[in-house]
Amino acid sequence: MVIRRAVERDAGRLTRLVRSSRAYEGRYSSMVEGYRVGPDYIEAHRVFAAVEEIPDGEGGGERVVGFYALLVEAAELDLMFVSDQAQGYGIGRLLVEHMRGEARSAGIDRVRVVSHPPAEGFYRSVGARPVGTVPANPPAVMWDRPEFVFLVGDVGEVGEGG
């Protein structure tokens, strides 16, 4: 598993990860209908992909199994997805630690996350602190969403403050 900077050619694969996520089925499907992670987005933000190498006997190349986008100016984790098939293997945890390192290198001391409700447990499990709730904003978002903050210090440090 390698985490590398996303590039223009990753746009379609990242878009498919978002649109195919089981976390956005049913009542949440409207959030990702028509959603696109474009080359312009990848260029404008710190977008990183978790990739695994595909053995030559299986076609070679690489498979994108997750990604995140850190918006430096807003100090916000805008997107984080792990493919349904790759969940439960620690990839999300690796992406969060990588994101914290990127934030630290950018001089950010805390990173905001407005979570998709089904991801709330994940963010709590990787050290994000709940700080409130972002109210629904119809018609774009029809439900309240939990808001978290990652305190960025040394790797593994949670720190104090709120």
Side-chain angles (χ1 to χ4, degrees):
M1 181 70 51
V2 174
I3 298 176
R4 63 159 173 76
R5 188 78 184 245
V7 295
E8 183 177 320
R9 68 178 156 71
D10 293 323
R13 295 189 279 186
L14 302 184
T15 297
R16 280 190 294 281
L17 264 178
V18 171
R19 289 185 186 175
S20 67
S21 174
R22 283 194 306 256
Y24 284 89
E25 290 179 336
R27 71 180 269 210
Y28 299 118
S29 65
S30 63
M31 282 293 296
V32 296
E33 284 175 13
Y35 194 89
R36 180 177 169 267
V37 180
D40 52 337
Y41 182 88
I42 292 170
E43 184 177 323
H45 304 294
R46 293 187 186 201
V47 181
F48 288 86
V51 298
E52 63 181 10
E53 295 298 317
I54 300 171
D56 287 336
E58 297 176 26
E62 64 181 19
R63 178 180 303 118
V64 175
V65 295
F67 78 99
Y68 76 87
L70 176 63
L71 308 185
V72 173
E73 293 299 317
E76 183 170 352
L77 179 62
D78 187 43
L79 298 170
M80 177 176 260
F81 283 85
V82 174
S83 74
D84 294 335
Q85 300 78 15
Q87 290 182 15
Y89 294 100
I91 295 165
R93 186 171 296 277
L94 288 172
L95 288 169
V96 165
E97 286 307 314
H98 191 276
M99 179 274 302
R100 291 179 76 212
E102 282 296 309
R104 209 171 17 261
S105 72
I108 298 170
D109 63 354
R110 56 185 55 220
V111 175
R112 176 180 187 244
V113 179
V114 177
S115 175
H116 180 49
E120 181 175 357
F122 166 75
Y123 286 115
R124 287 178 184 273
S125 77
V126 294
R129 293 183 173 195
V131 294
T133 301
V134 175
N137 183 21
V141 181
M142 302 298 290
W143 49 87
D144 294 347
R145 294 170 294 157
E147 181 178 8
F148 293 93
V149 67
F150 282 104
L151 301 179
V152 179
D154 293 333
V155 173
E157 178 184 319
V158 176
E160 293 298 321

